[in-house]
Amino acid sequence: MSDVIALLPDHIANQIAAGEVIQRPASAVKEMLENAIDAGASVIHLIIRDAGKELIQVIDNGKGMSALDARKCFERHATSKIKTIDDLFSIHTMGFRGEALASIAAVAKVELKTKQETDEIGTYIQIENSKVITQEPVACNTGTNLSIKNLFFNVPARRNFLKSDTTEIRHIIDEFTRIALAFPEITFRLTNNQSDLYHLESGKLKLRILGLLGQHLNNKLVPVDEYTDFVSVKGFIGSPEIATRTRGNQYFFVNNRFIKSAYLNHAITQAYKDLLSSDEFPLFVLFIDIDPKRIDINVHPTKQEIKFEEDRIVYSIVNAAVRHALNKYAIAPSLDFNLDAQIEALPSITQPFTHEKQQQTQQDYLFQSFGEKGKAHFLEKKEDAKQWKDLYKIQQSFENPAPSLPIPQSDVQANHMNELPIEENFTTSFLQINAAYIIATTKSGCVIIDQQLAHQRILFERFKKSQTQTIVTQQLLHPITIHLNPSDSIVLQNLLVDIQSIGFQIEWFGQHSFVIQGIPADFIAGKETSFIEQIIENAKQESGNLPDYRDSICLCAARLQAIPHGKKLSQTDMQTLFDELLRCEQPQFSPFGKKTLLKLTAGDLEKLIQRA
Ligand code: ADP
Ligand code: MG
């Protein structure tokens, strides 16, 4: 048999490896910003064109590179940051694998200008397909100016895989926000297609949060400042009134590195549990500092996950710190602090950390009791377990948002034939069961409808029709102003036309604010803000580039406004509901694909009774 194995050419191997590190423009942004920070820059300017597809440029005033380093830095495993494998486990610098620039150079056209303070003249380098095509001296400022153009120009499959500009710019803003939050002492500027999205002067964390997430948060931020020898928790949390229905403004940093942790999120949600309903998410920007030896950070730079050696203690401290802050600022005056005493009594917290202490601590009664059921620790309490599940469910539903119109067409047709038409001459007297289901008798049996699902169908079709018919809008007596963070504001700006098409009078109001002056005639006032927040959240979850979001907007309005279970209805209400449902194009299904009604003939009833 002939030999079949061939070694991949270098440039292909590089492109494959690059795919791991640089998945989209935002990943390059992250790597470049982190390098600028590691270089000690105090001013960093990020310039983006066409959502990073055409240009990503980072100009910093950091320490720059020598002519030789400027060339070497694009080679795989070129790094000035690790010398031994042990260095990998310390997370004090931002990046540490020496792969970012090599990966970028494999998939983009790169230009670099860099100069060290002690050098008179800087270096200019141009790279394509990982090859240096120009290197010459250049007059430039101290620091580094790195441009990457036409990302994925040589990997068309990847370039085509990129999402809409709105989505990509949102990812870039997300990375920028995470980094700018962690380094308030650095001046940051972000310019997108020639206009400045942010210009953040160096200053205190609070100022940075306001600059990034919106000035409307002023006076709504509660400081958190808890210090133990084991771990410290600092930062700000939002007062309950600014909680939103989107998860947008939640930031955890461990040793100044952004991480995602459902577990720690839960520690915070729990602290707010009497203050917020389960579909509201508090704002927080929290920094946890802990001995790096006590955490296991996944060394893959694109992962943001972390494991704490003693995660329950961290959970308890974060939970207590947030409760303490809410309590101190009289937001939750009646909170119960019994458990704090226990947490505070833990040897890991009260005593400075040494190896001997750690061993002692682990044998300690309180420490061991953390895992035992029935002991005081609140993690084991049943109601907490329940809420944990609820949280999990919420997360799942966000991760798997209901697709728009998920009804398989074949189903709909089959049902059209089998079940319709419903005889129109049902009785004029209706029976409501459990404030949820309505029964009407017909000539040959009865029809049962689910009031909530039926109403969702009615509203969905009505909102959809309003796009083609003249829209009736009711003016609001008091216009509503909505403040968003810049990334959500970009999403909403793109949805405005669609939202207006169903009868909302909503306009961009400068900066990242919007004003609603009128709502559709069918819309019950009072839920405008949560409606807008939900639409933004849905749009953020949409993975593809939907041609328009109108269906999704109508779905959202229908879900929010439908009569809920538990609402008693009058005979007239029930009559109207029936009439309107039967006038719908697809009366048997809710817009989310659930069945709205059940038809039973006398024959069906007989069978049911016999089976029972
Ligand atoms: P890593 O950051 O993991 O070391 P990178 O590929 O991101 O690997 O960068 C390679 C090296 O290039 C860095 O270790 C650093 O020495 C140098 N470098 C990269 N960006 C800059 C910058 N903005 N200023 C100064 N040096 C830089
Ligand atoms: Mg790096």
Side-chain angles (χ1 to χ4, degrees):
M1 260 189 70
S2 58
D3 299 333
V4 288
I5 297 177
L7 289 178
L8 287 175
D10 263 5
H11 71 279
I12 298 190
N14 280 345
Q15 284 177 6
I16 294 172
E20 236 187 277
V21 185
I22 307 298
Q23 285 157 354
R24 56 182 357 147
S27 1
V29 165
K30 172 172 184 273
E31 298 293 341
M32 290 160 76
L33 291 177
E34 289 183 346
N35 280 345
I37 290 166
D38 285 343
S42 62
V43 180
I44 299 176
H45 187 182
L46 168 63
I47 301 168
I48 301 293
R49 242 186 3 239
D50 291 348
K53 294 170 187 168
E54 292 317 307
L55 172 77
I56 302 169
Q57 183 175 15
V58 172
I59 307 171
D60 70 55
N61 66 349
K63 65 177 186 248
M65 284 177 263
S66 70
L68 187 60
D69 280 354
R71 198 182 176 101
K72 271 206 292 198
C73 71
F74 293 104
E75 284 169 28
R76 195 153 292 281
H77 308 304
T79 178
S80 53
K81 298 166 196 172
I82 51 170
K83 303 262 176 334
T84 72
I85 191 72
D86 279 348
D87 295 344
L88 264 183
F89 296 94
S90 113
I91 56 160
H92 287 305
T93 64
M94 300 300 289
F96 42 70
R97 295 208 317 178
E99 267 184 313
L101 292 188
S103 300
I104 288 172
V107 293
K109 298 182 180 175
V110 176
E111 278 179 57
L112 167 73
K113 279 187 218 166
T114 187
K115 186 180 93 64
Q116 293 181 308
E117 185 151 32
T118 45
D119 291 341
E120 290 264 298
I121 193 101
T123 308
Y124 170 80
I125 283 188
Q126 209 185 348
I127 293 185
E128 238 179 84
N129 286 319
S130 303
K131 296 248 159 22
V132 176
I133 50 176
T134 317
Q135 172 157 13
E136 59 198 22
V138 70
C140 62
N141 294 332
T142 298
T144 300
N145 179 339
L146 179 63
S147 301
I148 72 173
K149 295 181 179 161
N150 290 320
L151 184 62
F152 301 133
F153 77 101
N154 50 359
V155 205
R158 242 178 198 285
R159 195 168 166 96
N160 295 338
F161 194 68
L162 292 177
K163 306 280 194 248
S164 68
D165 281 6
T166 316
T167 307
E168 295 302 341
I169 193 77
R170 201 164 48 72
H171 284 291
I172 291 175
I173 292 178
D174 283 349
E175 291 297 353
F176 177 85
T177 304
R178 291 163 185 176
I179 289 174
L181 278 174
F183 296 91
E185 68 281 8
I186 298 178
T187 296
F188 281 96
R189 186 168 156 205
L190 167 53
T191 309
N192 177 38
N193 291 339
Q194 330 269 328
S195 79
D196 266 358
L197 274 186
Y198 299 90
H199 199 147
L200 307 161
E201 292 301 337
S202 75
K204 291 233 156 61
L205 175 63
K206 187 170 175 183
L207 218 64
R208 181 55 51 98
I209 295 176
L210 297 180
L212 280 164
L213 308 182
Q215 296 297 334
H216 64 285
L217 300 175
N218 203 1
N219 302 323
K220 307 272 160 45
L221 298 175
V222 179
V224 174
D225 200 353
E226 222 59 48
Y227 178 83
T228 71
D229 280 337
F230 178 74
V231 61
S232 73
V233 186
K234 295 197 185 95
F236 290 89
I237 53 172
S239 67
E241 70 206 89
I242 51 160
T244 53
R245 275 161 189 81
T246 76
R247 274 172 185 284
N249 290 330
Q250 303 195 326
Y251 300 90
F252 261 123
F253 299 85
V254 173
N255 296 354
N256 234 23
R257 206 173 238 280
F258 175 79
I259 60 135
K260 286 181 179 155
S261 162
Y263 187 62
L264 291 184
N265 266 25
H266 186 253
I268 296 188
T269 320
Q270 277 297 299
Y272 275 91
K273 78 175 171 205
D274 298 328
L275 303 166
L276 295 178
S277 64
S278 63
D279 62 343
E280 292 178 306
F281 301 101
L283 172 148
F284 58 82
V285 180
L286 289 179
F287 293 82
I288 296 174
D289 279 322
I290 187 164
D291 181 348
K293 291 195 193 74
R294 307 190 120 193
I295 50 179
D296 171 16
I297 184 147
N298 193 319
V299 291
H300 194 290
T302 57
K303 290 231 173 100
Q304 296 149 332
E305 282 143 31
I306 201 168
K307 236 192 117 21
F308 298 96
E309 223 172 72
E310 291 131 308
D311 54 0
R312 288 181 168 206
I313 302 183
V314 178
Y315 181 106
S316 313
I317 294 174
V318 168
N319 176 275
V322 172
R323 288 193 300 153
H324 190 196
L326 288 169
N327 184 269
K328 198 157 139 197
Y329 289 85
I331 289 166
S334 60
L335 286 177
D336 165 17
F337 273 84
N338 288 345
L339 290 159
D340 280 7
Q342 286 182 9
I343 294 159
E344 277 161 16
L346 281 174
S348 331
I349 297 163
T350 53
Q351 296 161 14
F353 177 73
T354 61
H355 189 64
E356 291 75 15
K357 286 263 165 60
Q358 186 184 23
Q359 292 199 326
Q360 270 174 22
T361 306
Q362 282 169 357
Q363 283 149 17
D364 183 90
Y365 163 74
L366 256 177
F367 182 87
Q368 293 191 347
S369 71
F370 261 100
E372 285 174 38
K373 282 230 162 68
K375 287 284 189 303
H377 189 255
F378 60 100
L379 258 182
E380 306 295 344
K381 280 210 304 203
K382 266 219 193 82
E383 62 190 59
D384 281 335
K386 182 182 151 286
Q387 259 145 3
W388 181 223
K389 269 192 219 137
D390 287 349
L391 178 90
Y392 185 71
K393 268 194 234 141
I394 293 167
Q395 266 176 350
Q396 294 259 303
S397 69
F398 273 109
E399 274 154 21
N400 312 310
S404 37
L405 285 178
I407 314 165
Q409 280 308 307
S410 52
D411 263 28
V412 171
Q413 275 154 14
N415 272 288
H416 257 296
M417 290 195 291
N418 295 341
E419 290 200 14
L420 279 183
I422 293 170
E423 302 144 74
E424 298 265 338
N425 53 346
F426 44 77
T427 42
T428 44
S429 126
F430 300 87
L431 204 61
Q432 193 187 21
I433 314 262
N434 215 14
Y437 302 97
I438 304 169
I439 302 185
T441 53
T442 61
K443 234 193 319 188
S444 57
C446 70
V447 179
I448 307 171
I449 66 171
D450 178 313
Q451 67 190 40
Q452 183 170 13
L453 300 180
H455 199 212
Q456 281 181 359
R457 161 57 59 190
I458 296 166
L459 289 175
F460 176 71
E461 292 198 6
R462 207 185 288 162
F463 286 126
K464 265 195 78 113
K465 272 197 202 108
S466 65
Q467 291 159 7
T468 48
Q469 296 169 354
T470 340
I471 315 157
V472 191
T473 298
Q474 40 171 329
Q475 294 293 318
L476 289 175
L477 218 51
H478 304 289
I480 298 166
T481 313
I482 298 177
H483 302 283
L484 297 173
N485 63 40
S487 123
D488 285 355
S489 148
I490 286 183
V491 177
L492 186 56
Q493 280 177 32
N494 277 286
L495 296 173
L496 278 189
V497 176
D498 289 336
I499 300 174
Q500 287 156 351
S501 79
I502 70 162
F504 273 90
Q505 276 181 5
I506 177 168
E507 306 289 341
W508 181 58
F509 196 51
Q511 274 284 21
H512 312 301
S513 303
F514 296 81
V515 65
I516 304 180
Q517 273 165 329
I519 58 178
D522 290 318
F523 203 89
I524 306 157
K527 292 191 170 169
E528 296 82 1
T529 310
S530 59
F531 170 67
I532 298 293
E533 285 172 354
Q534 278 178 25
I535 294 177
I536 295 174
E537 189 64 31
N538 286 355
K540 279 162 47 177
Q541 301 292 338
E542 295 288 358
S543 48
N545 302 327
L546 279 190
D548 65 53
Y549 284 101
R550 269 176 293 177
D551 271 3
S552 162
I553 289 169
C554 296
L555 279 174
C556 210
R559 176 161 50 193
L560 199 71
Q561 298 270 304
I563 301 167
H565 282 181
K567 184 161 168 62
K568 290 222 168 90
L569 300 177
S570 70
Q571 285 293 326
T572 335
D573 290 343
M574 292 192 269
Q575 173 90 56
T576 317
L577 205 65
F578 255 89
D579 289 347
E580 292 192 346
L581 181 66
L582 294 187
R583 251 181 267 132
C584 286
E585 279 169 27
Q586 292 183 1
Q588 321 88 306
F589 288 98
S590 85
F592 298 94
K594 287 192 172 163
K595 283 197 173 171
T596 53
L597 58 85
L598 176 67
K599 243 180 85 179
L600 293 173
T601 61
D604 293 332
L605 289 172
E606 190 186 335
K607 276 186 220 145
L608 274 176
I609 292 168
Q610 290 319 314
R611 230 186 284 151

